[in-house]
Amino acid sequence: MTKPKIITTGGAGYIGSHTAVALQEAGFEVVLMDNLVNSSADVIHRIGRITGKEPLLELVDLCDEQATKNCFSKHSDAVGIIHFAALKAVGESVAQPTRYYRNNLVSMLHVLEAMHQHNIPNLIFSSSATVYGQPDVLPVTEQTPLQPAASPYGQTKQMNEVMIRDAVFAGELKRAISLRYFNPVGAHPTAIIGELPLGIPNNLMPFITQTAIGIRKELAVFGGDYDTIDGTAVRDYIHVMDLAEAHLGALQYQLNGSQSESYDVINLGTGLGSTVLEVIQSFEKVTGINLNYRIVDRRPGDVAAIYANVDKAARVLHWHTQRDLDEMTRSAWAWEKYARETLGL
Ligand code: NAD
Ligand code: UDP
C-alpha cells in the first residue's frame, strides 16, 4: 500500500528533522523541501539511521517561484504540507528586515499558491509565541490578543498567519492550523539529530551546552531583576520530540476529518514556566557539570515571563507533553557531545 505523502518545507532543519522521524515512524512518506540556508543535507542520512529509511530531500529555494512550482508539480499527490521553512533569528531580523520579509513572506506565498493550484488540502504552519509579545495575563490562551510584534521576525509570523487565514476563508485552501510554539529545546533520544545553530547561539539551551563543552567561555544570564521567583525570566520550554508528536497529532486531526474550524490556531508548550536559573540547575543536575555563568543586564526586547495555556491542544489533538525539563537538558547535552565528538560538527 502506498504511504500518504507529506511535504515538509524547511524539513532539514531542527524541528523539521525531528518531525520527519515522527511522521515516518507513523507510516507517512516524507519529502523535505529545503534550500539548506540553515541546515545540512546529511541530516537525511541521520534520519535514515533512526527510522530505517532516508526521506527524499528536494533542494529548492521556496522564494524561487518557478523552482517551487516545479517541485510541487512532482509532489502534487501530497495529502498535506507542514511549512517549517523560515529564517528565525530575532536579532538578525532587526538588522536585516528586508531579507526576513522577503524570505518568510514570499516563500509562504509560493507555498499557498502551489497548494491552491494542486488542491492540496491540509496545511500546518510553524507559528510562534512571539506573536503574543508581553501579554497582560498569563498563561496565554489562543484568545489572548496579539501585541504589535517586537521584531521583523515576529511580524512575519503574524503576517503569515493572516495570509493563511485569508486563503482558507476565500476557499483557496481547504484547511490550516497555525501551531504557536513556545520554546523548543532538546534532541532526539538517540542524540543522532538535534539543534545546531550556526555561529554564536542566540537561544539559551544551545548557549548552555556550548558553554559546557568549552566552545563558549561563559553563559550570560540576561537579567536578574525580573519580577519572578528568582529574578530571571520565565519561558515555557518544550521538548522537540513532544513538539514533533504534536505535528503528527495535528496532521491526523486534519486527515481524519475532525478539524471543525477550517482555520485553527493552537498553542504548543508544556503549560509550565521555568526561569533561566531553573534551566541551568536542571542542566547541572543531570550532567554533573558546574556551568560557568554570570547574571548581566536584561536583553533588550525580552519579555519577563510567558507560558502557554495548552488546554486546546489537549482537547482537540489529544496531545500531552511526555518529557520534563530534565529530559530536555539531558538530551540537549547528549546531542551537543555527539555532534562535536562523533560527527565532528
Ligand atoms: P531551522 O532554521 O532549523 O529550520 C528552518 C529550515 O528552513 C532550515 O532548514 C532552512 O534551511 C529552511 N529554509 C529557510 N528559508 C528557506 C527557503 N526560502 N526555502 C527553502 N528552505 C528554507 O529552524 P527551526 O528551529 O527548525 O524552526 C522551524 C520553524 O519553526 C520556523 O518557521 C521557525 O520560525 C519556527 N519556530 C521556531 C522556534 C524555535 O525556537 N526553534 C520557535 C517558534 C517557531
Ligand atoms: N537567555 C539568557 N542567555 C542567553 C540566551 C537566552 O539568559 O545567552 C534567556 C533570555 O533572556 C530568555 C530565555 O533565556 O529569558 C530564553 O531565551 P531564548 O533566546 O532561548 O528564547 P526567547 O524566549 O527569547 O525566544
Side-chain angles (χ1 to χ4, degrees):
M1 207 179 75
T2 50
K3 296 178 172 181
K5 183 188 281 185
I6 304 298
I7 294 170
T8 60
T9 72
Y14 171 46
I15 302 169
S17 56
H18 290 79
T19 304
V21 169
L23 292 172
Q24 287 195 344
E25 287 177 343
F28 290 96
E29 179 190 347
V30 185
V31 175
L32 320 182
M33 293 188 187
D34 205 300
N35 66 352
L36 305 180
V37 66
N38 195 38
S39 50
S40 139
D42 77 278
V43 77
I44 59 168
H45 307 311
R46 291 185 277 120
I47 293 170
R49 279 177 54 201
I50 297 172
T51 63
K53 185 177 187 305
E54 290 187 4
L56 177 67
L57 171 62
E58 294 280 12
L59 278 177
V60 58
D61 181 349
L62 297 162
C63 291
D64 180 332
E65 186 176 3
Q66 195 54 51
T68 305
K69 275 189 176 161
N70 295 345
C71 205
F72 272 84
S73 295
K74 275 172 68 182
H75 299 290
S76 59
D77 54 338
V79 296
I81 314 279
I82 308 182
H83 184 53
F84 295 106
L87 297 174
K88 63 161 184 177
V90 173
E92 190 181 66
S93 81
V94 175
Q96 303 173 13
T98 52
R99 178 168 170 244
Y100 269 68
Y101 286 120
R102 167 167 293 281
N103 193 74
N104 294 1
L105 301 184
V106 174
S107 59
M108 179 85 255
L109 201 58
H110 290 160
V111 168
L112 289 173
E113 286 170 350
M115 292 185 74
H116 185 206
Q117 184 189 353
H118 296 292
N119 288 315
I120 301 174
N122 300 300
L123 175 66
I124 293 172
F125 170 60
S126 300
S127 190
S128 166
T130 186
V131 299
Y132 294 114
Q134 173 66 77
D136 297 330
V137 181
L138 292 174
V140 288
T141 73
E142 292 80 0
Q143 274 74 49
T144 298
L146 305 191
Q147 307 279 351
S151 69
Y153 167 74
Q155 288 280 6
T156 69
K157 290 296 169 192
Q158 290 193 357
M159 290 175 178
N160 280 167
E161 287 196 8
V162 170
M163 291 162 78
I164 296 167
R165 187 202 61 199
D166 288 351
V168 170
F169 287 173
E172 294 182 345
L173 176 62
K174 198 158 182 193
R175 59 183 90 77
I177 304 175
S178 291
L179 297 176
R180 292 181 179 156
Y181 313 156
F182 279 65
N183 287 57
V185 295
H188 191 269
T190 59
I192 294 174
I193 54 173
E195 181 180 19
L196 198 74
L198 299 174
I200 301 173
N202 294 300
N203 295 113
L204 179 63
M205 193 66 85
F207 212 107
I208 288 177
T209 56
Q210 289 195 11
T211 305
I213 212 159
I215 298 173
R216 312 278 154 214
K217 269 174 62 184
E218 177 185 75
L219 169 74
V221 173
F222 298 134
D225 58 352
Y226 286 110
D227 184 16
T228 61
I229 48 166
D230 59 23
T232 63
V234 169
R235 295 290 183 275
D236 186 341
Y237 298 93
I238 174 171
H239 197 294
V240 68
M241 290 308 300
D242 280 322
L243 197 59
E245 287 161 10
H247 288 77
L248 185 60
L251 196 60
Q252 283 162 344
Y253 176 61
Q254 294 188 316
L255 295 176
N256 68 20
S258 307
Q259 188 180 340
S260 47
E261 302 286 334
S262 52
Y263 176 66
D264 222 337
V265 175
I266 302 177
N267 285 342
L268 294 178
T270 59
L272 298 171
S274 303
T275 66
V276 177
L277 288 180
E278 285 171 335
V279 177
I280 293 171
Q281 281 151 13
S282 164
F283 181 84
E284 291 185 328
K285 183 181 74 182
V286 303
T287 63
I289 294 170
N290 277 331
L291 199 71
N292 188 26
Y293 71 88
R294 189 163 52 97
I295 296 179
V296 301
D297 288 346
R298 296 179 179 192
R299 183 169 66 176
D302 270 355
V303 300
I306 184 165
Y307 52 96
N309 175 307
V310 287
D311 292 351
K312 184 169 179 185
R315 191 175 70 249
V316 305
L317 306 182
H318 309 294
W319 166 88
H320 302 270
T321 55
Q322 309 285 335
R323 299 151 181 98
D324 64 9
L325 184 60
D326 289 349
E327 189 47 41
M328 300 180 212
T329 51
R330 186 182 296 114
S331 63
W333 178 234
W335 158 249
E336 182 75 54
K337 282 192 298 180
Y338 181 80
R340 306 299 172 188
E341 292 163 6
T342 307
L343 298 177
L345 296 173

